[in-house]
Coordinates of all heavy atoms in Angstrom, one line a residue:
M1 N 4.3 13.5 8.3 CA 5.8 13.5 8.0 C 6.4 12.2 8.5 O 6.1 11.7 9.5 CB 6.4 14.7 8.7 CG 5.9 16.1 8.2 SD 6.6 16.4 6.6 CE 8.3 16.8 7.0
V2 N 7.3 11.8 7.7 CA 8.1 10.6 8.1 C 9.5 11.0 8.4 O 10.2 11.7 7.7 CB 8.1 9.6 6.9 CG1 9.0 8.4 7.3 CG2 6.7 9.1 6.6
D3 N 9.9 10.7 9.6 CA 11.3 10.9 10.1 C 12.2 9.9 9.4 O 12.1 8.8 9.5 CB 11.3 10.7 11.6 CG 12.7 11.0 12.2 OD1 13.7 11.1 11.4 OD2 12.8 11.1 13.4
P4 N 13.1 10.5 8.6 CA 13.9 9.6 7.8 C 14.9 8.7 8.6 O 15.4 7.7 8.1 CB 14.7 10.5 6.8 CG 14.7 11.8 7.5 CD 13.4 11.9 8.3
T5 N 15.0 9.1 9.9 CA 15.9 8.3 10.7 C 15.2 7.2 11.4 O 15.8 6.3 12.0 CB 16.6 9.2 11.8 OG1 15.6 9.7 12.7 CG2 17.4 10.3 11.2
S6 N 13.8 7.2 11.3 CA 13.1 6.1 11.9 C 12.7 5.0 10.9 O 12.6 5.3 9.7 CB 11.7 6.6 12.5 OG 12.0 7.6 13.5
D7 N 12.5 3.8 11.3 CA 12.0 2.8 10.4 C 10.6 3.1 9.9 O 9.8 3.6 10.7 CB 12.0 1.4 11.1 CG 13.4 0.9 11.4 OD1 14.3 1.3 10.7 OD2 13.5 0.2 12.4
L8 N 10.4 2.9 8.7 CA 9.0 3.1 8.1 C 8.0 2.2 8.8 O 8.3 1.1 9.1 CB 9.0 2.9 6.6 CG 9.8 3.9 5.8 CD1 9.8 3.4 4.3 CD2 9.1 5.3 5.9
G9 N 6.9 2.8 9.1 CA 5.8 2.0 9.6 C 5.8 2.0 11.1 O 4.8 1.4 11.7
E10 N 6.7 2.6 11.8 CA 6.8 2.5 13.2 C 5.6 3.1 13.9 O 5.0 2.5 14.8 CB 8.0 3.2 13.7 CG 9.1 2.3 14.3 CD 10.2 3.0 14.9 OE1 10.2 4.3 14.9 OE2 11.2 2.4 15.3
D11 N 5.2 4.3 13.4 CA 4.1 5.0 14.1 C 2.9 5.3 13.2 O 2.3 6.3 13.3 CB 4.7 6.4 14.6 CG 5.7 6.2 15.7 OD1 5.5 5.3 16.6 OD2 6.7 6.9 15.6
V12 N 2.7 4.3 12.4 CA 1.6 4.4 11.4 C 0.3 4.0 12.1 O 0.2 2.8 12.5 CB 1.8 3.6 10.2 CG1 0.6 3.7 9.2 CG2 3.0 4.1 9.4
S13 N -0.7 4.9 12.2 CA -2.0 4.5 12.7 C -2.8 3.9 11.6 O -2.5 4.0 10.4 CB -2.7 5.7 13.3 OG -3.1 6.6 12.3
E14 N -3.9 3.3 12.0 CA -4.8 2.7 10.9 C -5.3 3.8 10.0 O -5.5 3.6 8.8 CB -6.0 2.0 11.5 CG -5.6 0.6 12.0 CD -6.8 -0.4 11.9 OE1 -7.8 0.0 11.3 OE2 -6.6 -1.5 12.5
E15 N -5.6 5.0 10.6 CA -6.1 6.1 9.7 C -5.1 6.6 8.7 O -5.5 7.0 7.6 CB -6.5 7.3 10.6 CG -7.8 7.0 11.4 CD -8.2 8.3 12.2 OE1 -7.6 9.3 12.0 OE2 -9.0 8.1 13.1
D16 N -3.8 6.5 9.0 CA -2.8 6.9 8.1 C -2.3 5.8 7.2 O -1.7 6.1 6.2 CB -1.6 7.5 8.9 CG -1.9 8.7 9.7 OD1 -2.8 9.5 9.2 OD2 -1.3 9.0 10.7
A17 N -2.6 4.6 7.5 CA -2.1 3.5 6.8 C -2.8 3.4 5.4 O -4.0 3.8 5.3 CB -2.4 2.2 7.5
P18 N -2.1 2.9 4.4 CA -2.7 2.7 3.1 C -3.7 1.6 3.2 O -3.6 0.7 4.1 CB -1.6 2.3 2.2 CG -0.5 1.8 3.1 CD -0.7 2.6 4.4
R19 N -4.7 1.5 2.3 CA -5.6 0.4 2.4 C -5.5 -0.5 1.2 O -5.2 -0.1 0.1 CB -7.1 1.0 2.4 CG -7.3 1.7 3.7 CD -8.8 1.9 3.9 NE -9.0 2.4 5.3 CZ -9.4 1.6 6.3 NH1 -9.7 0.4 6.1 NH2 -9.5 2.2 7.5
C20 N -5.7 -1.8 1.4 CA -5.6 -2.8 0.4 C -6.6 -2.5 -0.7 O -7.8 -2.3 -0.4 CB -5.8 -4.1 0.9 SG -5.8 -5.4 -0.3
A21 N -6.2 -2.4 -2.0 CA -7.1 -2.1 -3.1 C -8.1 -3.2 -3.3 O -9.1 -3.0 -4.0 CB -6.3 -1.8 -4.3
T22 N -7.8 -4.4 -2.8 CA -8.7 -5.5 -3.0 C -9.7 -5.7 -1.9 O -10.9 -5.8 -2.1 CB -7.9 -6.8 -3.3 OG1 -7.1 -6.7 -4.4 CG2 -8.8 -8.0 -3.4
C23 N -9.2 -5.8 -0.7 CA -10.0 -6.2 0.5 C -10.2 -5.0 1.4 O -11.0 -5.1 2.4 CB -9.5 -7.4 1.2 SG -8.0 -7.1 2.1
D24 N -9.6 -3.8 1.1 CA -9.8 -2.6 1.9 C -9.4 -2.7 3.3 O -9.7 -1.9 4.1 CB -11.3 -2.2 1.8 CG -11.5 -0.7 2.1 OD1 -10.6 0.1 1.6 OD2 -12.5 -0.3 2.8
A25 N -8.5 -3.6 3.6 CA -7.9 -3.7 4.9 C -6.9 -2.6 5.1 O -6.1 -2.3 4.2 CB -7.3 -5.1 5.2
A26 N -6.8 -2.1 6.3 CA -5.7 -1.1 6.6 C -4.4 -1.9 6.7 O -4.3 -3.0 7.3 CB -6.0 -0.4 7.9
I27 N -3.4 -1.4 6.0 CA -2.1 -2.1 5.9 C -1.2 -1.5 6.9 O -0.6 -0.4 6.7 CB -1.5 -2.1 4.5 CG1 -2.5 -2.8 3.6 CG2 -0.2 -2.8 4.5 CD1 -2.2 -2.6 2.1
V28 N -1.0 -2.1 8.1 CA -0.2 -1.5 9.1 C 0.9 -2.5 9.4 O 0.7 -3.6 9.9 CB -1.0 -1.3 10.4 CG1 -0.2 -0.7 11.5 CG2 -2.2 -0.4 10.1
D29 N 2.1 -2.1 9.1 CA 3.3 -2.8 9.5 C 3.2 -4.3 9.0 O 3.5 -5.2 9.7 CB 3.5 -2.8 11.0 CG 4.9 -3.2 11.4 OD1 5.8 -3.1 10.5 OD2 5.1 -3.6 12.5
S30 N 2.7 -4.4 7.8 CA 2.6 -5.8 7.2 C 3.9 -6.2 6.5 O 4.3 -5.5 5.6 CB 1.4 -5.9 6.3 OG 1.4 -7.1 5.5
P31 N 4.4 -7.3 6.8 CA 5.6 -7.8 6.1 C 5.3 -8.2 4.7 O 6.2 -8.4 3.8 CB 6.1 -8.9 6.9 CG 4.9 -9.4 7.6 CD 4.1 -8.2 7.9
H32 N 4.0 -8.4 4.4 CA 3.6 -8.9 3.0 C 3.1 -7.8 2.2 O 2.6 -8.0 1.1 CB 2.5 -10.0 3.2 CG 3.0 -11.1 4.0 ND1 4.0 -12.0 3.6 CD2 2.6 -11.5 5.2 CE1 4.2 -12.9 4.6 NE2 3.3 -12.6 5.6
H33 N 3.2 -6.5 2.7 CA 2.7 -5.4 2.0 C 3.3 -5.3 0.6 O 4.5 -5.4 0.4 CB 3.1 -4.1 2.8 CG 2.6 -2.8 2.3 ND1 3.1 -1.6 2.8 CD2 1.8 -2.5 1.3 CE1 2.5 -0.6 2.1 NE2 1.7 -1.1 1.2
R34 N 2.4 -5.1 -0.4 CA 2.9 -4.9 -1.8 C 2.4 -3.6 -2.3 O 1.2 -3.2 -2.0 CB 2.3 -6.1 -2.7 CG 2.8 -7.4 -2.3 CD 4.3 -7.6 -2.7 NE 4.8 -9.0 -2.4 CZ 5.3 -9.3 -1.3 NH1 5.5 -8.4 -0.3 NH2 5.7 -10.5 -1.1
V35 N 3.2 -2.9 -3.1 CA 2.7 -1.7 -3.8 C 3.1 -1.8 -5.2 O 4.2 -2.2 -5.6 CB 3.5 -0.5 -3.2 CG1 3.0 0.8 -3.8 CG2 3.3 -0.4 -1.6
I36 N 2.2 -1.4 -6.1 CA 2.5 -1.3 -7.5 C 2.2 0.1 -7.9 O 1.3 0.8 -7.4 CB 1.7 -2.3 -8.4 CG1 0.2 -2.0 -8.3 CG2 2.0 -3.7 -8.0 CD1 -0.6 -2.8 -9.3
T37 N 2.9 0.6 -8.9 CA 2.7 1.9 -9.4 C 2.6 1.9 -10.9 O 3.2 1.0 -11.6 CB 3.8 2.9 -9.0 OG1 5.1 2.4 -9.5 CG2 3.9 3.1 -7.5
W38 N 1.9 2.8 -11.5 CA 1.8 2.9 -13.0 C 1.5 4.3 -13.3 O 1.1 5.1 -12.5 CB 0.7 1.9 -13.5 CG -0.7 2.2 -13.2 CD1 -1.6 2.9 -14.0 CD2 -1.4 2.0 -12.0 NE1 -2.8 3.0 -13.3 CE2 -2.7 2.5 -12.1 CE3 -1.0 1.3 -10.8 CZ2 -3.7 2.4 -11.1 CZ3 -2.0 1.3 -9.7 CH2 -3.3 1.8 -9.9
I39 N 1.6 4.6 -14.7 CA 1.3 5.9 -15.1 C 0.0 5.9 -15.8 O -0.3 5.0 -16.7 CB 2.4 6.4 -16.2 CG1 3.8 6.3 -15.5 CG2 2.1 7.8 -16.7 CD1 4.0 7.2 -14.4
E40 N -0.9 6.8 -15.4 CA -2.2 6.9 -16.1 C -2.5 8.4 -16.2 O -2.5 9.2 -15.3 CB -3.3 6.3 -15.1 CG -4.6 6.1 -15.8 CD -5.6 5.4 -14.9 OE1 -5.3 4.2 -14.5 OE2 -6.6 5.9 -14.5
D41 N -2.8 8.7 -17.5 CA -3.1 10.1 -17.8 C -2.0 11.1 -17.3 O -2.3 12.2 -16.8 CB -4.5 10.6 -17.2 CG -5.6 9.8 -17.7 OD1 -5.6 9.3 -18.9 OD2 -6.6 9.6 -17.0
G42 N -0.8 10.6 -17.4 CA 0.3 11.4 -17.1 C 0.6 11.6 -15.6 O 1.5 12.3 -15.2
E43 N -0.2 10.8 -14.8 CA 0.1 10.9 -13.4 C 0.5 9.5 -12.9 O 0.1 8.5 -13.4 CB -1.2 11.2 -12.6 CG -1.7 12.6 -12.9 CD -3.0 12.9 -12.1 OE1 -3.1 12.5 -10.9 OE2 -3.9 13.5 -12.6
V44 N 1.3 9.6 -11.8 CA 1.7 8.3 -11.2 C 0.6 7.8 -10.2 O 0.2 8.6 -9.4 CB 3.0 8.5 -10.4 CG1 3.4 7.2 -9.7 CG2 4.1 8.9 -11.3
R45 N 0.1 6.7 -10.5 CA -0.9 6.1 -9.6 C -0.2 4.9 -8.9 O 0.7 4.3 -9.3 CB -2.1 5.5 -10.5 CG -2.7 6.5 -11.4 CD -3.4 7.6 -10.7 NE -4.0 8.5 -11.7 CZ -5.3 8.6 -11.9 NH1 -6.1 7.9 -11.2 NH2 -5.8 9.5 -12.8
S46 N -0.8 4.6 -7.7 CA -0.3 3.5 -7.0 C -1.4 2.8 -6.3 O -2.5 3.3 -6.1 CB 0.7 4.0 -5.9 OG 0.1 4.8 -4.9
A47 N -1.2 1.5 -6.1 CA -2.2 0.7 -5.3 C -1.4 -0.2 -4.3 O -0.4 -0.7 -4.6 CB -2.9 -0.2 -6.3
H48 N -2.0 -0.3 -3.2 CA -1.4 -1.1 -2.1 C -2.2 -2.3 -1.9 O -3.4 -2.4 -2.1 CB -1.4 -0.2 -0.8 CG -0.6 1.0 -0.8 ND1 0.6 1.1 -0.3 CD2 -0.9 2.2 -1.4 CE1 1.1 2.3 -0.5 NE2 0.2 3.0 -1.2
F49 N -1.5 -3.4 -1.5 CA -2.1 -4.7 -1.2 C -1.5 -5.3 0.0 O -0.3 -5.1 0.3 CB -1.9 -5.6 -2.4 CG -2.4 -5.0 -3.7 CD1 -1.5 -4.4 -4.6 CD2 -3.7 -5.1 -4.1 CE1 -2.0 -3.8 -5.7 CE2 -4.2 -4.6 -5.3 CZ -3.3 -3.9 -6.1
C50 N -2.4 -6.0 0.8 CA -1.9 -6.6 2.0 C -1.0 -7.8 1.8 O -0.2 -8.1 2.6 CB -3.0 -6.9 3.0 SG -4.3 -7.9 2.3
D51 N -1.1 -8.4 0.6 CA -0.2 -9.5 0.3 C -0.3 -9.9 -1.2 O -1.1 -9.3 -1.9 CB -0.5 -10.8 1.2 CG -1.9 -11.3 1.0 OD1 -2.5 -11.0 0.0 OD2 -2.4 -11.9 2.0
D52 N 0.4 -10.9 -1.6 CA 0.5 -11.2 -3.0 C -0.9 -11.7 -3.5 O -1.2 -11.6 -4.6 CB 1.5 -12.3 -3.2 CG 2.9 -11.7 -3.5 OD1 2.9 -10.5 -4.0 OD2 3.9 -12.4 -3.4
G53 N -1.6 -12.4 -2.6 CA -2.9 -12.9 -3.0 C -3.9 -11.8 -3.4 O -4.5 -11.9 -4.5
C54 N -3.9 -10.7 -2.6 CA -4.8 -9.6 -3.0 C -4.3 -8.9 -4.3 O -5.1 -8.5 -5.1 CB -4.9 -8.6 -1.8 SG -6.0 -9.1 -0.5
R55 N -3.0 -8.9 -4.4 CA -2.5 -8.2 -5.6 C -2.9 -9.0 -6.9 O -3.3 -8.5 -7.9 CB -0.9 -8.2 -5.6 CG -0.4 -7.2 -6.6 CD 1.1 -7.4 -6.8 NE 1.4 -8.6 -7.4 CZ 1.3 -8.9 -8.7 NH1 0.9 -7.9 -9.5 NH2 1.6 -10.0 -9.2
T56 N -2.8 -10.3 -6.8 CA -3.2 -11.2 -7.9 C -4.7 -11.1 -8.2 O -5.1 -11.0 -9.3 CB -2.9 -12.7 -7.6 OG1 -1.5 -12.8 -7.4 CG2 -3.2 -13.5 -8.8
D57 N -5.5 -11.0 -7.1 CA -7.0 -10.9 -7.3 C -7.3 -9.6 -8.0 O -8.2 -9.5 -8.8 CB -7.7 -10.9 -5.9 CG -7.7 -12.3 -5.3 OD1 -7.4 -13.3 -6.1 OD2 -8.0 -12.4 -4.2
W58 N -6.6 -8.5 -7.6 CA -6.9 -7.2 -8.2 C -6.6 -7.2 -9.7 O -7.3 -6.6 -10.5 CB -6.0 -6.2 -7.5 CG -6.3 -4.8 -7.8 CD1 -7.4 -4.0 -7.4 CD2 -5.5 -3.9 -8.7 NE1 -7.3 -2.8 -8.0 CE2 -6.2 -2.7 -8.7 CE3 -4.3 -4.1 -9.4 CZ2 -5.7 -1.6 -9.5 CZ3 -3.8 -3.1 -10.1 CH2 -4.5 -1.8 -10.2
N59 N -5.5 -7.9 -10.1 CA -5.2 -8.0 -11.5 C -6.3 -8.7 -12.3 O -6.3 -8.7 -13.5 CB -3.9 -8.7 -11.7 CG -2.7 -7.7 -11.4 OD1 -2.9 -6.5 -11.3 ND2 -1.5 -8.3 -11.1
G60 N -7.1 -9.4 -11.6 CA -8.2 -10.1 -12.3 C -8.1 -11.6 -12.4 O -8.8 -12.2 -13.1
Ligands
ZN1 ZN1 -6.0 -7.4 0.9

């Protein structure tokens, strides 16, 4: 649960943190964190990246 009155990422442990889709690093309180979302088979999918470099690599 995220307390809406707290800043996001304050109490995120590595286990709860999203992982970079390219390098699989746990993304904890990263200022360069990137998230993209898209629709696939009628579902919203998302991918997290630790920075723009990983996001670009993932796109190919
Ligand atoms: Zn990465």
